[in-house]
């Protein structure tokens, strides 16, 4: 199941790269129209592929030490954030250079909302779960919200990508069912399947981390020792 | 929380009605461009508003008898299906009359996939849970899938609506930040909030149906009596 998700994610990246590389003149970083092509590639790579991988580390590495997995979760999402910042800079720079308005379309409204909520979620995750700043009660209150918004943000990222694809196809002025449109629409459907598969694996019990008596003992020990009873695990 | 969701849903309907009524010449059923306007209104009313209400009946009426709630769930989703069929007929008819291609855009691919999966999910729900055709084991296997795809379909319906809004805004050839575009984009954000709120209420434990000893007893009784051990509740 997770291998299928990895294959789907790579297929999404390849289709995005081929779409922009073959049909729209490849990539550049010189404020030319080719710099725009960096935007979809970075957003799919950051906010969908790497983001989805980051969501799933607790399921894929469910037998590894929880603290290592937690660091990997934070690192993958940090990479996702950095790559999506590059993707945002790419499009804002091209828009500014060529006099196109920014933050005009529903795609940009939803995409920016997704990015800002993701940044907030990442910072809160860092403060609540990776650094010992929050009390057990606060952690327990925030964990289900963190998980819920984790999946909401993936759905919003896929939804924003779909709008971006739909807009790009219209602006490219293609004939109905042109090969480029079929490729772009197929990319859209694969993104939906990727989101669906990540959501399925995360919400199924059989992929959950098995209870680990050693971790539980450590957690209890840590709680007894520390003044404000912080658990070692989110 | 559920009142807020109802308010949001009504706001989505009103904004769609105003958008199509005020900016696109109102409604008709004569294959004129005004017939197209029936499409967004019906899809938002059927696949988002009524669909979301149908999803939530188990939470809103969590203290009513389960069999009544089950019938209400099926009826609301049947209404959602019928209204969305009207919305689909509206757009196919206008396209055919004016020589526009059908099933060309990513919006139409995702929207049709959502509709077909919803129809399948409704038929399966009917067969598995409302009529006594499935064994307990089959019901137990299908229930989590029914719940999972229930939320996936809501996300897909909202995503398809967002693409439809983005396409309509582009085809309307508006100036950046024209009042019509701001209204349409606001509608998009409200649809996202509606989906988010329904997803939140459905996945929180505090809104779940409290265990009912009478129902449990009836279910056990029914299982003991019936040959294939069907539970009375999904």
């Amino acid at each position: 199941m997770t291998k299928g998700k990895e294959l789907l994610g790579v297929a999404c990246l390849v289709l995005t790269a081929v779409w922009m590389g073959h049909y729209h003149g490849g990539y550049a970083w010189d404020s030319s129209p080719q710099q725009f092509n960096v935007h979809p590639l970075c957003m799919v790579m950051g906010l969908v592929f790497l983001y989805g991988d980051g969501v799933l580390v607790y399921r894929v590495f469910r037998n590894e030490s929880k603290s290592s997995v937690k660091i990997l979760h934070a690192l993958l999402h940090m990479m996702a954030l950095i790559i999506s910042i590059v993707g945002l800079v790419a499009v804002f720079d091209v828009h500014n250079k060529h006099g196109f308005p920014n933050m005009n379309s529903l795609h940009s409204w939803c995409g920016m909302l997704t990015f800002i909520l993701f940044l907030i979620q990442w910072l809160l995750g860092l403060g609540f779960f990776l650094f010992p700043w929050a009390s057990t009660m606060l952690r327990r209150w925030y964990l289900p919200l963190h998980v819920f918004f984790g999946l909401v943000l993936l759905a919003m990222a896929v939804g924003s990508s779909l709008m971006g694809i739909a807009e790009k196809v219209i602006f490219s002025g293609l004939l109905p069912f042109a090969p480029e449109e079929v490729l772009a629409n197929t990319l859209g459907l694969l993104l939906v399947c990727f989101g669906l598969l990540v959501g399925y694996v995360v919400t199924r019990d059989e992929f959950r981390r098995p209870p680990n008596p050693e971790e539980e003992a450590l957690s209890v020990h840590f709680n007894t020792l520390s003044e404000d009873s912080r658990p070692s695990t989110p």
Side-chain angles (χ1 to χ4, degrees), chain A residues 170-215:
Chain A
I170 296 175
F171 287 133
S172 301
L174 305 171
L175 286 172
F177 304 106
E180 182 186 337
E181 183 171 39
V182 174
L183 178 140
N185 289 3
T186 308
L187 166 62
L189 287 189
L190 290 184
L191 286 169
V192 171
C193 293
F194 179 84
L196 201 148
L197 215 54
V198 171
Y200 184 77
V201 171
V202 163
T203 52
R204 285 311 86 185
D205 277 342
E206 61 257 43
F207 298 105
R208 267 182 214 285
R209 197 174 180 76
N212 182 334
E214 252 182 66
E215 269 179 7

Side-chain angles (χ1 to χ4, degrees), chain A residues 96-153:
Chain A
N96 293 341
K97 202 79 175 187
H98 296 265
F100 297 132
N102 286 307
M103 299 303 302
N104 171 47
S105 65
L106 183 56
H107 162 67
S108 65
W109 286 27
C110 286
M112 188 53 87
L113 183 67
T114 308
F115 173 78
I116 291 170
L117 288 177
F118 175 34
L119 181 63
I120 294 172
Q121 164 102 331
W122 188 78
L123 289 172
L124 288 177
L126 215 68
F128 274 72
F129 302 129
L130 210 64
F131 294 109
W133 295 335
S135 68
T136 311
M137 233 169 67
L138 264 177
R139 284 178 174 215
R140 280 209 187 122
W141 167 81
Y142 179 53
L143 181 59
L145 283 175
H146 187 79
V147 173
F148 174 72
F149 276 98
L151 281 181
V152 165
L153 286 175

Side-chain angles (χ1 to χ4, degrees), chain A residues 54-70:
Chain A
V55 162
L56 280 194
V57 289
Y58 285 103
R59 301 295 180 268
V60 175
F61 302 108
R62 57 188 177 275
N63 298 314
E64 307 299 320
S65 103
K66 192 141 184 181
S67 54
S68 321
V69 180
K70 211 191 277 192

Side-chain angles (χ1 to χ4, degrees), chain A residues 20-37:
Chain A
M20 293 299 126
H22 179 69
Y23 289 103
H24 290 277
Y27 306 90
W29 196 271
D30 53 4
S31 306
S32 69
Q34 276 69 43
Q35 185 178 313
F36 172 87
N37 300 344

